[in-house]
Amino acid sequence: MQTRGRRGRPLRLRSLYAVAAAVAFLLELAALAYWGAVTGTGVWAWVLGVLTPLAAAVLWGAFASPRAPVRLANAPKLALRLSVLLGGAVALAVAGQRWLAVALAAAVIGDELALVAVGRPIAGAD
């Protein structure tokens, strides 16, 4: 017998989703930090390398996370989610890492398509 969570999804699938979402978000933050570090010089490299992913994380936490204090409708939430996630790919392209940017964008799009296939295209959507 397979154990199910509160929304009727198998716990294993929920755990896999949580791990995949966390890894994807951390990769996005790393891409934004990389952009900041190579775009700036001296102290600005550190400032941009820290503040850019921090700003993305704050936006995500406030508006796009499953437990966001500000509840958005699904369309704006999806737009913000894709903006943050694809922003990492754009940042890599601008920083000169075009192949990494293409790979990251493909992974984000593939992830979104997989989420649509399992019926959960937006983080936190019921």
Side-chain angles (χ1 to χ4, degrees):
M1 183 172 150
Q2 195 171 36
T3 307
R4 297 202 175 264
R6 62 183 156 94
R7 292 191 178 150
R9 291 184 185 93
L11 287 178
R12 205 172 6 177
L13 182 60
R14 287 182 57 218
S15 297
L16 179 62
Y17 173 81
V19 168
V23 168
F25 188 60
L26 291 174
L27 286 172
E28 296 303 324
L29 293 180
L32 292 171
Y34 176 80
W35 170 83
V38 301
T39 299
T41 57
V43 171
W44 281 111
W46 285 96
V47 171
L48 288 174
V50 171
L51 290 184
T52 305
L54 182 62
V58 167
L59 281 173
W60 188 275
F63 301 105
S65 75
R67 294 186 184 111
V70 178
R71 299 305 243 168
L72 295 178
N74 282 348
K77 191 173 190 175
L78 181 61
L80 177 62
R81 175 183 165 86
L82 288 175
S83 295
V84 170
L85 293 175
L86 291 174
V90 170
L92 284 173
V94 169
Q97 298 295 324
R98 287 175 179 73
W99 287 109
L100 283 176
V102 169
L104 186 57
V108 166
I109 292 166
D111 181 56
E112 290 302 314
L113 291 174
L115 290 174
V116 168
V118 298
R120 192 168 178 188
I122 304 169
D126 293 329

